Amino acid sequence: MSGAESGALPGTDGLPRCPWGLSPEDYTAYHDTEWGRPVHGDDALYERLCLEAFQSGLSWLTILRRREGFRAAFAGFRIAEVARFTEADEERLLTDTGIIRNRAKIRATVANARAAESFGEGELDALIWSYAPDAASRPAPRALGDVPAITPESTALAKELKRRGFRFVGPTTAYALMQACGLVNDHLADCCARHGA
């Protein structure tokens, strides 16, 4: 059976998990305690959006293992602070080994803070969550192959964010954000984390 056809598999503790959450430990902890659980708050959602953008073209494990470095580099992902970053800050970040040193993604992170700052308090949260599909209309995925990479909602969310000045937010990145922040529950049907998510 291929990975796309497989359902949840038992971990070392015997609990069934989405296959990607079995190992290494970083993935298991993220899978069990964060992925698919609702995230609210403008700064928290901004952080997840930026991390998903940095992940583009890379392994999520790379991002997870550098998350604290990203938080230190980007002022804890506090929108108001990152929006004040200058070109000198961007140049400094290009030498920071604690993050992914990609000029376009660094600039996008600063530009996205400026775009997010134009919202009133709680408005970014409300905007993102307004694209959450009706959970009752989505059957639980039985295998990884049942999990989409994009949806009409993620396409619409990406389009709206781009319209408001956000960068590095295509439909795939928007859907990864929706999965990570609990707008959708893509834990497999027999995964131990599905009902805790």
Side-chain angles (χ1 to χ4, degrees):
M1 186 183 306
S2 75
E5 296 168 345
S6 70
L9 299 172
T12 56
D13 57 4
L15 294 175
R17 288 184 176 82
C18 301
W20 66 265
L22 294 175
S23 69
E25 288 182 22
D26 310 68
Y27 269 161
T28 303
Y30 178 69
H31 170 274
D32 289 1
T33 64
E34 290 187 63
W35 193 77
R37 297 183 188 273
V39 173
H40 285 283
D42 294 343
D43 288 344
L45 287 165
Y46 164 71
E47 174 182 358
R48 300 297 173 83
L49 181 64
C50 293
L51 292 177
E52 293 294 346
F54 269 102
Q55 185 273 329
S56 181
L58 302 170
S59 160
W60 181 245
L61 187 59
T62 301
I63 303 304
L64 270 182
R65 289 181 171 168
R66 294 183 185 202
R67 186 159 50 169
E68 291 309 315
F70 277 110
R71 286 175 174 163
F74 289 102
F77 289 100
R78 289 180 295 277
I79 293 167
E81 291 184 41
V82 180
R84 305 284 174 269
F85 278 23
T86 64
E87 285 185 29
D89 290 310
E90 291 175 10
E91 291 300 319
R92 172 183 52 80
L93 291 170
L94 284 170
T95 67
D96 189 332
T97 58
I99 66 170
I100 305 302
R101 295 172 289 173
N102 177 298
R103 184 179 300 275
K105 292 177 182 181
I106 289 169
R107 285 185 172 163
T109 301
V110 175
N112 290 349
R114 292 175 183 150
E117 194 177 41
S118 70
F119 288 73
E121 186 172 337
E123 287 181 7
L124 179 61
D125 183 306
L127 172 75
I128 290 172
W129 275 89
S130 73
Y131 288 88
D134 176 20
S137 69
R138 292 178 45 111
R142 309 274 331 150
L144 292 180
D146 298 335
V147 179
I150 63 171
T151 62
E153 294 88 357
S154 74
T155 300
L157 174 57
K159 183 177 180 180
E160 180 60 18
L161 287 171
K162 285 180 182 178
R163 187 184 76 76
R164 292 177 178 246
F166 286 79
R167 301 181 194 170
F168 269 90
V169 288
T172 303
T173 297
Y175 193 66
L177 173 74
M178 293 170 79
Q179 291 175 302
C181 296
L183 281 75
V184 296
N185 184 350
D186 277 344
H187 283 287
L188 300 183
D190 49 357
C191 174
C192 66
R194 175 151 186 97
H195 300 290

